[in-house]
RNA sequence: GCCGGGAUGGCGGAAUGGUAGACGCAAUAGACUCAAAAUCUAUCGGGCGCAAGCUCGUGAGAGUUCAAGUCUCUCUCCCGGCACCA
């Protein structure tokens, strides 16, 4: 009699597997017969809290899958590692006052121990840790390759800044408008950032999704995240200016409907257009208020639009040449498209809302089109256009509506008729009077624009194309005039309820449009497709067909825009991979000498601000084109110049520096300049090629003289010193993270590394001069973007991965990747991006990293909430394993429900799995050597069916039904004698689920000498799963009335029918003659009467 | 608003268009026990019925079909993602 002592069994076999290195993976050799199978888990972030019971769900699944694959003859790679750089580890370290390195070490050990007691089959000899310098050397290496290809660059655009974490963040790190880590509202902060140009890969990231065996939902999430949208870029010239406003639109077809143009408040154009703007004060005020609004406020009240007109500025419509006003409004985002839109209030909801608020005109250029289904146009007939009106007359007394019934066709309609110019309401009223005699109508309204309809007018033998307006009236009183005999002969009128007005009842092809307008009003934009009107030569054409043509006519071009933004890749934090670059001024100087020649063209009329360290910011603005030309020549803001300056006032030393022009400030007179003390203190003036002291000149020559000299005013340039980033030589990698005492973030936008002078000050690898290290670090997602490659060749010192090994293990990509959905738009996009880059530079041989992906559903707490310390609903796997055994935990987590669905933890339900294991173990006592005691057919049918079901279910990740089928097998066999070979088959199929118990039975009871986990997976015999008894459900008119049994595996229709119609319960229902019999072989006989 | 995914007993869930509720939990009754636990046996969607059996039932409503949890349309609610993306 076997008693299941899980504590003993678990421990015994875990140490056995370790000792025998059962799970160590050998690299495939050329000519090896075993097919490779690379099974991968999303590696964990080792937090201080350790694992809860939800974490291992995915690991158990891959464990089962890899054991199964190994037993079916595959060479399996199933590794595990740790992703330990990043904010959580650092925040944990700060909070607990330990060095993150030490904290990570401790947490990794804890995680490893916790994973070990679950009996997972990882090959720990291949483990990786992203914080290990030998690992991150290659993370840095990849970054350098990107840098060299120009994919990594410095950007000065405003980025998302988390004031609590004190670092910049990527778009992907946001939860709406909040920091995904700490929930703090993010700010937009302009600062220097390293950015990876992921948008260059956007199309490939999008299109290559199609071939991946991934859950459709994840692919869709990525598609949405990339947000590719095709449209046109059109140019609106600014009247009396060299400036142009470029807009991006997906609806160039609505171009004739443009009634104004909107630019984002942050758009540089607003500044550039300042000289023309006559209401600058108002604009400045608006810019201030929008800037003060948080991102949240801007999006929360998205119904209430706000904006301000740039008075004095008009743009020219690219086709019609009409002038159009320009607005700045924050419903236009600076960061998407061109930061400006053409507004078509008639056909865009947002423009509509804005136009209504500011009383701007609408211009309808697309109208709905309907083809009459009852009277479709007939091919080959003449087309005749016609303007129509249809009239809804309501009697306010009882709410009834006036209808017309055509005697000849039986059609129901509104009073209607053609109109030839003239006033619409008058024509409509006349039509009502002619057809019905009612002459006093009031409250006339035109309900929206026209609708185009096509139908065949049989009485005229032509195809009619009608443009119809709907008009509504109230009946003022019931006075009538006589109706002409002709009208009376053709039609009657009647009053009926509003609700009779259905598409079926009424003959109008436009009816669904009318109903929508009557029920939901006409105050909205029409955003659907239709037919062009008010658009010159495009009139009458379908809007969907003219996109290219109209773009061309407007002189625009087709363009693709993405929602995806480039990846902000630097963090102002300590605990990350140092970016392996140094900043060198001398190299910059060498690089930019050419442009330096430009500087000598500026005489004493120009005043320069030399901001020694680039730390001083003065208020600046962009220059208009005229000023630009006058003061800068061909130098633009953002240009880099070699600049000469004097170190100390009056001194002789002249140094050169590379500077970037950040902006400029204009003073009308020297007096103005001298009033600006801040700027003045930094000023030097350059006369011809010598430096003079400005203040001295001023006092010598006097105000008038100086002002005469400058005439056009003074320009103070704001500049900052420029360095160029120089890569750390590959041989010097890894660039190790220095050990520090204080790694708390500074909050100034500088990484804590910046404070370590010893580390920061270094030599330039190129010119050997003094240089400073880049002090930003990489984001958490860097290390995880390629870790799956390193498992293949974890100890390689010469390369990221050996090419032969890569080709073997990555052939076709990772075969099975399992993890949570939460990584859909970050890790899984980043890793695909890096992989494609590595493919481009020849490091990997596949264009996609992960061929097949499965998501695990979360395990919730017993209270149906996310497991969290906050709710006190966390279940620790260690406790479960101690109380019920590792195998019970494993079986239960797989049995809870479909793998991909979330499910609430229930220790009650877990007991069922434990009982199953105990009952399974009892089968050992049923083993006999005497074949005569064994009901061979029944036993083998059960076992072979189970083998089949489990085999198929594991392959499909249907673990819950696999477990259930094994439960059924045990229930069926518990009271039967079986042979040892039968038990062997069952133990093998249970082995991946319950590795400890099955090993115990295998080696102890069945006396096998080698581990079960490298055994050959059993096969089922299709002949043995066929029963020699068949049950057929007999239905009468689809309802089951009787079940009949046959003692054979196959039943013919004739046999089934014969037996069925004799059964009492069937006979009773056969009250009328049999019409038809449907027989589904061996399953159902349906008698239709 | 848009894009995904759901909704089946008291609960977790199962069902290539073919006997809805497999399997598990909980519950009830019984056996064993001085007793309890454990284990074993039986019952276990609602209504009617002594029973055979009938009838209603897969979020709501329509439809296709000999047959619908499953397919089609409309709607409600829940979960996830995106969201003033032009």
């Amino acid at each position: 009699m076997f008693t299941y002592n899980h504590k003993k069994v678990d421990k015994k076999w875990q140490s056995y597997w370790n000792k025998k290195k059962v799970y160590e993976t050998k690299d495939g050799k050329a000519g090896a017969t075993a097919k490779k199978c690379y099974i991968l888990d999303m590696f964990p972030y080792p937090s201080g809290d350790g694992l809860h019971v939800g974490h291992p769900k995915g690991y158990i699944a891959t464990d089962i899958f890899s054991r199964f694959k190994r037993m079916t003859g595959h060479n399996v790679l199933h590794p595990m590692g740790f992703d330990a750089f990043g904010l959580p580890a650092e925040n944990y370290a700060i909070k607990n006052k330990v060095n993150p390195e030490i904290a990570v070490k401790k947490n990794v050990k804890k995680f490893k121990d916790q994973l070990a007691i679950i009996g997972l089959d990882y090959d720990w000899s291949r483990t990786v840790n992203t914080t290990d310098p030998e690992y991150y050397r290659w993370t840095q290496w990849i970054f350098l390759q990107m840098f060299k290809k120009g994919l990594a660059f410095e950007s000065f655009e405003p980025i998302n800044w988390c004031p609590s974490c004190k670092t910049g963040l990527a778009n992907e790190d946001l939860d709406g408008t909040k920091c995904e880590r700490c929930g703090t509202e993010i700010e937009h902060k302009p600062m220097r950032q390293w950015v990876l140009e992921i948008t260059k890969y956007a199309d490939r990231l999008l299109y290559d999704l199609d071939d991946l065996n991934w859950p459709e939902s994840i692919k869709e999430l990525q598609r949405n995240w990339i947000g590719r949208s095709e449209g046109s870029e059109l140019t609106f010239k600014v009247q009396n200016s060299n400036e142009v406003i470029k807009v991006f639109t997906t609806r160039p077809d609505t171009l004739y409907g443009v009634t104004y143009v909107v630019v984002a408040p942050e758009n540089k154009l607003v500044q550039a257009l300042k000289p023309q703007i006559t209401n600058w004060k108002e604009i400045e005020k608006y810019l201030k208020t929008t800037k003060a609004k948080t991102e949240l406020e801007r999006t929360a009240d998205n119904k209430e639009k706000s904006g301000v007109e740039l008075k004095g500025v008009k743009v020219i419509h690219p086709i019609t040449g009409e002038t159009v006003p320009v607005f700045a409004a924050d419903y236009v985002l600076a960061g998407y498209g061109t930061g400006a839109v053409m507004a078509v209030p008639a056909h865009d909801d947002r423009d509509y809302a804005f136009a209504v608020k500011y009383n701007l005109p609408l211009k309808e250029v697309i109208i709905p089109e309907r083809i009459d289904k009852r009277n479709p146009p007939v091919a080959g007939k003449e087309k005749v256009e016609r303007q129509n009106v249809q009239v809804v007359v309501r009697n306010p007394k009882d709410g009834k509506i006036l209808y017309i019934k055509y005697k000849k066709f039986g059609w129901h309609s509104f009073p209607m008729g053609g109109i030839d110019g003239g006033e619409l309401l008058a024509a409509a009223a006349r039509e009502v009077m002619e057809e019905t005699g009612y002459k006093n109508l009031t409250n006339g309204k035109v309900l929206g624009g026209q609708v185009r309809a096509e139908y065949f007018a049989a009485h005229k033998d032509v195809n009619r194309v009608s443009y119809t307006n709907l008009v509504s009236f109230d009946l003022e009183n019931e006075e009538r005039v006589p109706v002409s005999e002709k009208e009376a002969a053709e039609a009657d009128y009647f009053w009926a309820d509003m609700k009779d007005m259905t598409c079926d009842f009424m003959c109008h092809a436009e009816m669904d449009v009318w109903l929508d307008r009557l029920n939901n009003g006409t105050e909205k934009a029409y955003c659907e497709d239709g037919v062009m009107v008010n658009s010159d030569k495009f009139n009458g054409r379908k809007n969907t067909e003219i996109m290219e043509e109209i773009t061309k006519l407007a002189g625009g071009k087709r363009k693709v825009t993405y929602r995806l933004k480039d990846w902000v890749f630097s963090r102002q934090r300590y605990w990350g991979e140092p970016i392996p670059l140094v900043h060198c001024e001398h190299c910059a100087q060498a690089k930019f000498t050419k442009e330096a020649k430009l500087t000598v063209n500026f005489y004493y009329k120009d005043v320069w601000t030399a901001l020694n360290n680039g730390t001083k910011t003065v208020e600046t603005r962009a220059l208009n084109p005229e000023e630009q030309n006058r003061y800068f020549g061909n130098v633009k803001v953002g240009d880099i110049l070699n600049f000469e300056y004097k170190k100390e006032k009056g001194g002789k030393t002249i140094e050169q520096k590379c500077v970037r022009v950040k902006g400029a400030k204009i003073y009308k007179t020297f007096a103005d300049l001298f009033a600006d003390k801040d700027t003045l203190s930094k000023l030097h003036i350059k006369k011809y090629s010598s430096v003079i002291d400005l203040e001295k000149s001023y006092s010598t020559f006097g105000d008038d003289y100086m002002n005469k000299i400058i005439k056009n005013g003074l320009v103070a340039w704001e500049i900052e010193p420029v360095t160029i980033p120089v890569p750390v030589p590959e041989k010097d990698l890894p660039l190790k993270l220095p050990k520090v005492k204080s790694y708390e973030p500074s909050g100034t936008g500088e990484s804590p590394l910046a404070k370590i002078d010893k580390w920061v000050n270094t030599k330039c690898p190129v010119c050997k001069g003094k240089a400073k290290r880049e002090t930003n670090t990489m984001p958490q997602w860097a290390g995880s973007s390629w870790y799956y490659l390193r498992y293949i060749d974890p100890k390689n010192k010469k390369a990221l991965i050996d090419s032969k090994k890569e080709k073997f293990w990555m052939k076709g990509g990772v075969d099975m990747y399992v993890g949570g959905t939460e990584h859909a738009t970050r890790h899984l996009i980043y890793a695909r991006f890096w992989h494609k880059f590595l493919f481009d530079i020849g490091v990997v041989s596949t264009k996609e990293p992960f061929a097949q992906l499965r998501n695990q559903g979360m395990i919730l707490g017993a209270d149906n909430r996310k497991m969290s310390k906050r709710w006190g609903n966390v279940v620790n796997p260690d406790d479960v394993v101690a109380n019920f055994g590792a195998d019970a935990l494993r079986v239960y987590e797989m049995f809870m429900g479909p793998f991909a669905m979330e499910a609430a933890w229930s220790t009650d339900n877990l007991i069922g799995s434990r009982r199953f294991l105990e009952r399974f173990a009892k089968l050992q006592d049923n083993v006999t050597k005497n074949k005569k005691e064994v009901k061979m057919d029944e036993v083998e049918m059960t076992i072979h069916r189970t083998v089949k079901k489990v085999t198929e279910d594991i392959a499909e990740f249907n673990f819950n039904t696999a477990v259930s089928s094994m439960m059924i097998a045990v229930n069926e066999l518990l009271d039967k004698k079986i042979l040892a070979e039968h038990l062997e088959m069952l133990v093998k199929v249970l082995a991946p689920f319950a590795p400890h118990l099955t090993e115990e039975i295998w080696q102890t009871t069945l006396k096998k000498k080698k581990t079960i986990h490298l055994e050959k997976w059993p096969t089922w015999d299709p002949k043995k799963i066929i029963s020699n008894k068949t049950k057929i459900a007999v239905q009468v008119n689809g309802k089951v009335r009787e079940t009949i049994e046959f003692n054979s595996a196959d039943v013919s229709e004739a046999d089934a029918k014969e037996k069925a119609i004799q059964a009492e319960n069937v006979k009773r229902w056969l009250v009328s003659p049999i019409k038809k019999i449907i027989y589904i072989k061996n399953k159902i006989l349906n008698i239709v009467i």
Side-chain angles (χ1 to χ4, degrees):
Chain A
M1 189 64 186
F2 172 85
T3 48
Y4 176 26
N5 179 340
H6 62 260
K7 281 190 184 166
K8 251 174 145 175
V9 170
D10 286 1
K11 222 177 151 187
K12 175 175 165 192
W13 297 111
Q14 278 167 18
S15 62
Y16 170 89
W17 299 327
N18 266 337
K19 217 165 66 197
K20 301 262 176 177
K21 297 188 172 166
V22 169
Y23 307 127
E24 223 166 76
T25 304
K26 304 274 179 296
D27 285 323
K29 293 202 179 83
T33 50
K35 253 180 113 174
K36 71 96 186 184
C37 188
Y38 186 177
I39 299 161
L40 182 68
D41 291 289
M42 290 185 188
F43 63 166
Y45 197 97
S47 74
D49 300 332
L51 293 171
H52 66 62
V53 112
H55 291 113
K57 183 172 168 184
Y59 307 152
I60 293 168
T62 53
D63 187 74
I64 290 169
F65 195 71
S66 61
R67 286 170 191 277
F68 169 70
K69 284 288 175 184
R70 215 178 273 121
M71 289 174 81
T72 48
H74 294 79
N75 187 2
V76 170
L77 174 60
H78 186 211
M80 181 48 96
F82 297 93
D83 181 21
F85 265 139
L87 279 177
E90 188 172 343
N91 288 343
Y92 173 87
I94 291 170
K95 200 174 147 200
N96 295 288
K97 305 224 182 307
V98 285
N99 189 300
E101 202 181 323
I102 294 163
V104 162
K105 250 185 203 144
K106 210 177 95 195
N107 293 347
V108 162
K109 172 148 196 326
K110 191 170 177 182
F111 265 62
K112 258 185 156 171
D113 290 347
Q114 282 191 295
L115 293 176
I117 61 163
I118 300 169
L120 302 171
D121 70 348
Y122 296 116
D123 177 358
W124 285 108
S125 70
R126 290 169 176 269
T127 192
V128 300
N129 182 327
T130 54
T131 63
D132 178 353
E134 280 310 304
Y135 177 87
Y136 69 67
R137 132 193 248 151
W138 298 107
T139 312
Q140 291 174 330
W141 183 85
I142 295 170
F143 177 85
L144 284 185
Q145 308 314 307
M146 289 192 160
F147 175 76
K148 285 174 188 166
K149 294 271 176 200
L151 280 173
F153 56 88
E154 281 175 293
S155 156
F156 298 84
E157 297 290 310
I159 54 141
N160 310 306
W161 170 264
C162 173
S164 161
C165 297
K166 297 183 174 122
T167 181
L169 296 169
N171 259 16
E172 286 79 5
D173 296 324
L174 305 186
D175 184 1
T177 59
K178 294 191 168 112
C179 169
E180 180 261 352
R181 276 283 153 218
C182 65
T184 310
E185 194 71 28
I186 59 113
E187 295 167 0
H188 283 253
K189 189 166 176 171
M191 54 190 289
R192 186 184 65 89
Q193 291 291 322
W194 281 96
V195 169
L196 300 186
E197 202 175 10
I198 190 171
T199 49
K200 246 195 179 152
Y201 283 74
D203 271 345
R204 285 164 71 188
L205 288 169
L206 179 68
Y207 296 131
D208 289 349
L209 279 172
D210 294 347
D211 302 328
L212 296 178
N213 184 356
W214 284 20
E216 210 38 57
S217 58
I218 298 285
K219 292 206 231 175
E220 209 50 41
L221 279 178
Q222 291 211 348
R223 289 189 189 110
N224 290 343
W225 189 262
I226 294 166
R228 184 182 201 275
S229 85
E230 272 180 37
S232 300
E233 193 176 279
L234 305 173
T235 304
F236 287 74
K237 287 193 177 120
V238 179
Q239 203 175 25
N240 304 324
S241 163
N242 295 331
E243 293 289 341
V244 295
I245 299 182
K246 287 193 170 174
V247 301
F248 173 75
T249 178
T250 55
R251 294 292 302 273
D253 52 316
T254 62
L255 183 53
Y256 283 89
V258 171
T259 55
Y260 59 103
V261 163
V262 191
V263 296
E266 302 90 334
N267 195 317
K268 283 178 186 152
L269 276 164
V270 178
Q271 299 297 333
L273 292 168
K274 183 174 171 184
Q276 267 182 271
I277 294 172
T278 55
N279 60 335
W280 183 250
K281 279 248 161 72
E282 197 188 342
I283 306 233
E284 235 171 359
K285 199 176 144 203
Y286 180 69
L287 298 186
K288 232 178 199 170
T289 49
T290 45
K291 210 172 181 185
K293 276 194 209 174
T294 64
E295 195 75 2
L296 189 69
E297 285 166 340
R298 253 180 97 153
T299 48
D301 49 12
N302 65 28
K303 272 174 204 134
E304 195 52 41
K305 306 241 178 309
S306 71
V308 59
E309 184 174 356
L310 308 184
K311 293 208 172 118
V313 179
K314 297 273 180 207
V315 292
I316 296 159
H317 189 287
I319 294 180
T320 66
E322 284 165 20
T323 56
V324 173
V326 180
F327 287 78
D330 66 0
Y331 81 91
V332 173
L333 306 175
Y336 182 79
T338 59
V341 302
M342 59 181 219
V344 187
H347 303 292
D348 181 279
D349 292 327
R350 297 152 300 184
D351 297 340
Y352 183 88
F354 189 79
V356 166
K357 181 162 174 189
Y358 291 97
N359 223 348
L360 299 164
L362 269 67
K363 190 176 166 198
E364 189 177 44
V365 292
I366 295 169
I367 60 169
E369 181 186 42
R370 294 292 180 270
I371 307 290
D372 195 331
K373 279 179 200 129
R374 279 170 272 220
N375 265 312
V378 175
K381 300 287 180 191
E382 192 196 351
K383 259 191 188 180
V384 178
E385 288 202 357
R386 179 179 144 117
Q387 303 287 316
N388 267 0
V389 65
Q390 295 176 18
V391 195
V392 180
V393 181
R394 183 174 164 276
N395 189 341
K397 276 190 197 156
D398 52 11
K400 296 217 175 196
I401 304 290
L402 182 58
Y403 296 88
I404 303 283
K405 181 172 182 167
Y406 285 92
K407 290 177 179 168
K408 192 170 168 191
F409 305 103
W411 290 342
H412 304 103
S413 81
F414 298 122
M416 59 183 276
I419 47 166
D420 327 298
E423 216 265 317
L424 195 56
L425 288 175
R430 194 172 56 241
E431 222 38 81
V432 173
M433 191 170 74
E434 279 171 16
E435 291 183 13
T436 66
Y438 288 102
K439 62 176 194 142
N440 293 326
L441 305 175
T442 180
N443 255 339
K445 274 185 211 126
V446 180
L447 299 177
Q450 292 188 317
V451 175
R452 183 186 199 265
E454 281 190 40
Y455 54 95
F456 181 62
H459 55 296
K460 299 267 160 80
D461 197 38
V462 292
N463 287 328
R464 275 239 169 100
V465 179
S466 67
Y467 290 85
T468 308
N469 275 104
L470 185 68
V471 165
S472 75
F473 285 107
D474 281 346
L475 193 65
E476 197 172 7
N477 58 43
E478 288 167 12
E479 274 178 42
R480 295 181 57 231
V481 294
V483 174
S484 76
E485 274 179 33
K486 187 176 163 252
E487 292 279 356
E490 273 178 14
D492 284 335
Y493 72 86
F494 62 99
W495 292 89
D497 284 340
M498 173 103 181
K499 63 173 187 284
D500 290 331
M501 206 192 285
T502 62
C503 292
D504 286 337
F505 185 72
M506 305 296 284
C507 68
H508 305 303
E510 305 89 349
M511 201 57 213
D512 64 311
V513 180
W514 300 153
L515 282 174
D516 178 57
R517 288 183 189 175
L518 288 164
N519 293 327
N520 307 322
T522 52
E523 273 145 43
K524 56 192 174 188
Y526 179 71
C527 304
E528 274 136 80
D529 291 330
V531 173
M532 305 301 302
V533 293
N534 296 325
S535 301
D536 296 348
K537 67 170 191 172
F538 298 101
N539 286 348
R541 294 180 61 188
K542 286 195 192 338
N543 71 311
T544 48
E545 290 166 0
I546 62 158
M547 302 287 181
E548 271 89 21
E549 219 176 301
I550 200 165
T551 303
K552 215 172 150 190
L553 184 66
K557 57 178 186 202
R558 295 296 280 168
K559 206 187 163 186
V560 174
T561 300
Y562 303 93
R563 207 198 71 99
L564 180 75
K565 297 273 191 316
D566 283 330
W567 180 5
V568 173
F569 195 68
S570 44
R571 298 290 177 274
Q572 292 70 46
R573 298 287 297 225
Y574 169 72
W575 191 234
E577 300 89 343
I579 292 179
L581 297 169
V582 300
H583 294 277
C584 179
E585 286 182 14
H586 312 285
C587 290
Q589 224 174 294
K591 187 172 173 187
F592 294 116
T593 20
K594 233 181 174 180
E595 287 87 338
K597 284 179 187 166
L598 292 168
T599 64
V600 299
N601 295 326
F602 298 100
Y603 304 128
Y604 43 85
K605 71 174 180 185
D606 300 305
V607 179
W608 306 37
T609 65
L611 306 177
N612 257 342
N613 299 311
T615 51
K616 177 78 194 138
T617 312
V618 296
E619 199 183 327
T620 60
R621 68 160 171 87
L623 302 178
N624 69 38
E626 196 217 336
E627 290 170 329
Q628 165 78 46
N629 197 41
R630 194 193 313 149
Y631 298 122
F632 284 71
N634 49 0
V635 177
K636 291 187 192 69
V637 169
D639 274 357
I640 291 166
L641 308 174
N642 225 346
F643 174 63
E644 286 184 349
Y645 80 107
K646 205 169 75 117
K647 210 169 189 183
E648 278 168 26
K649 215 162 82 183
K652 286 175 187 169
T653 336
I654 293 170
E655 271 194 21
Q656 283 203 325
K657 243 184 190 171
C658 252
V659 295
R660 178 185 285 107
V661 178
K662 282 180 85 178
K665 194 171 184 177
I666 295 184
Y667 303 91
K668 275 193 184 142
T669 66
F670 271 101
D672 292 342
L673 170 65
F674 291 126
D676 188 352
K677 293 280 184 237
D678 262 7
T679 308
L680 191 65
S681 66
K682 304 279 184 183
L683 281 181
H684 300 272
I685 192 164
K686 199 174 175 189
K687 188 186 180 188
Y688 297 96
S689 56
S690 67
V691 176
I692 60 162
D693 186 303
L694 191 66
E695 269 180 301
K696 209 171 155 191
S697 315
Y698 184 70
S699 57
T700 310
F701 298 111
D703 198 54
D704 283 350
Y705 177 79
M706 287 297 279
N707 283 339
K708 244 180 232 167
I709 292 175
I710 57 168
K711 270 182 201 164
N712 298 318
L714 286 157
V715 178
W717 290 18
E718 190 197 1
I719 56 175
E720 61 181 353
V722 170
T723 58
I724 63 163
V726 177
V728 170
E730 286 173 21
K731 67 171 172 47
D732 293 344
L733 296 181
L735 171 60
K736 284 194 191 168
L737 193 55
K739 290 210 180 0
V740 281
K741 282 201 185 107
S742 161
Y743 35 77
E744 302 213 8
S746 65
T748 59
E750 284 221 67
S751 147
L753 293 179
K755 285 184 280 186
I756 314 168
D757 290 342
K758 239 178 109 183
W759 187 79
V760 170
N761 293 312
T762 182
K763 275 186 186 168
C764 171
V766 176
C767 68
K768 310 294 176 199
K770 279 184 187 168
K772 285 183 192 296
R773 288 197 187 281
E774 168 65 55
T775 55
N776 283 332
T777 52
M778 298 188 196
Q780 193 194 321
W781 309 102
S784 59
S785 293
W786 70 281
Y787 73 107
Y788 55 93
L789 295 172
R790 194 60 179 174
Y791 286 137
I792 291 170
D793 197 7
K795 308 225 162 75
N796 194 331
K797 296 231 168 197
K798 289 186 197 138
L800 184 158
I801 185 171
D802 174 79
S803 154
K804 267 187 200 155
K805 290 179 183 173
E806 187 277 329
K807 284 197 176 79
F808 177 79
W809 284 111
M810 285 300 288
K811 191 179 176 190
V814 169
D815 298 271
M816 178 60 80
Y817 194 24
V818 174
T821 339
E822 67 272 19
H823 294 109
T825 53
R826 291 144 123 196
H827 161 61
L828 285 174
I829 287 210
Y830 294 151
R832 290 181 63 222
F833 164 43
W834 278 36
H835 192 90
K836 285 180 185 303
F837 172 73
L838 293 173
F839 174 76
D840 290 349
I841 62 169
V843 174
V844 299
S845 56
T846 60
K847 58 180 189 173
E848 281 288 335
F850 316 120
Q852 189 166 187
L853 175 77
R854 297 290 174 134
N855 291 121
Q856 85 240 26
M858 220 189 308
I859 293 184
L860 305 172
D863 54 0
N864 247 313
R865 285 189 289 205
K866 222 171 163 172
M867 269 195 196
S868 142
K869 270 195 288 190
R870 189 172 151 207
W871 305 118
N873 57 1
V874 176
V875 181
N876 187 325
D878 303 17
D879 301 338
V880 178
V881 169
N883 291 331
F884 301 96
D887 290 344
L889 173 73
R890 296 168 58 107
V891 169
Y892 172 60
E893 291 211 358
M894 293 301 101
F895 184 62
M896 286 175 89
F899 180 66
M901 282 215 322
E902 57 182 40
W905 179 265
S906 156
T907 306
D908 270 353
N909 286 353
L910 169 80
I911 288 165
S913 299
R914 166 73 195 199
R915 280 185 200 146
F916 158 66
L917 292 175
E918 280 173 20
R919 298 202 300 161
F920 186 95
K922 276 193 196 168
L923 288 178
Q924 294 173 92
D925 304 331
N926 296 7
V927 175
T928 176
K929 284 185 178 161
N930 184 355
K931 282 193 177 179
K932 281 180 195 147
E933 288 183 321
V934 179
K935 292 178 186 160
M936 235 17 166
D937 286 356
E938 283 177 39
V939 168
E940 290 198 325
M941 190 166 74
T942 298
I943 286 170
H944 284 254
R945 274 185 179 173
T946 308
V947 170
K948 177 173 190 279
K949 179 79 177 143
V950 174
T951 307
E952 290 167 354
D953 280 352
I954 293 179
E956 289 299 314
F957 264 53
N958 294 328
F959 303 112
N960 58 331
T961 48
V963 171
S964 129
S965 73
M966 288 186 281
M967 287 174 169
I968 295 170
V970 170
N971 291 348
E972 284 176 3
L973 295 176
L974 219 46
D975 57 354
K976 295 190 179 79
K977 288 285 178 198
I978 58 172
L979 299 176
E981 61 183 81
H982 297 141
L983 183 61
E984 280 177 28
M985 284 176 86
L986 277 182
V987 173
K988 280 181 184 173
V989 295
L990 181 62
F993 295 84
H996 308 86
L997 176 64
T998 49
E999 187 81 280
E1000 173 72 20
I1001 298 173
W1002 187 252
Q1003 299 209 27
T1004 309
T1005 308
L1006 293 167
K1007 307 250 183 314
K1008 305 287 184 181
K1009 294 282 176 280
K1010 283 184 190 158
T1011 175
I1012 187 170
H1013 300 297
L1014 299 176
E1015 277 295 321
K1016 207 168 168 259
W1017 189 256
T1019 51
W1020 73 90
D1021 183 346
K1023 280 180 225 141
K1024 290 188 174 161
I1025 62 177
I1026 296 165
S1027 168
N1028 55 6
K1029 278 190 186 143
T1030 308
K1031 274 186 189 167
I1032 289 172
V1034 182
Q1035 301 179 332
V1036 178
N1037 282 357
K1039 284 194 175 169
V1040 179
R1041 297 300 180 186
E1042 183 66 282
T1043 327
I1044 50 178
E1045 250 190 75
F1046 294 84
N1047 283 321
S1048 63
D1050 263 329
V1051 180
S1052 72
E1053 179 169 346
D1055 290 348
K1057 185 185 165 188
E1058 193 190 331
K1059 193 158 179 181
I1061 55 175
Q1062 278 163 26
E1064 271 312 308
N1065 279 334
V1066 178
K1067 268 191 200 165
R1068 295 193 310 145
W1069 291 97
L1070 295 176
V1071 288
S1072 51
I1074 295 172
K1075 276 189 197 152
K1076 195 168 161 187
I1077 287 183
I1078 290 124
Y1079 180 57
I1080 309 300
K1081 194 151 196 235
N1082 300 338
K1083 272 194 175 155
I1084 276 181
L1085 184 85
N1086 189 5
I1087 302 169
V1088 186
I1089 58 169

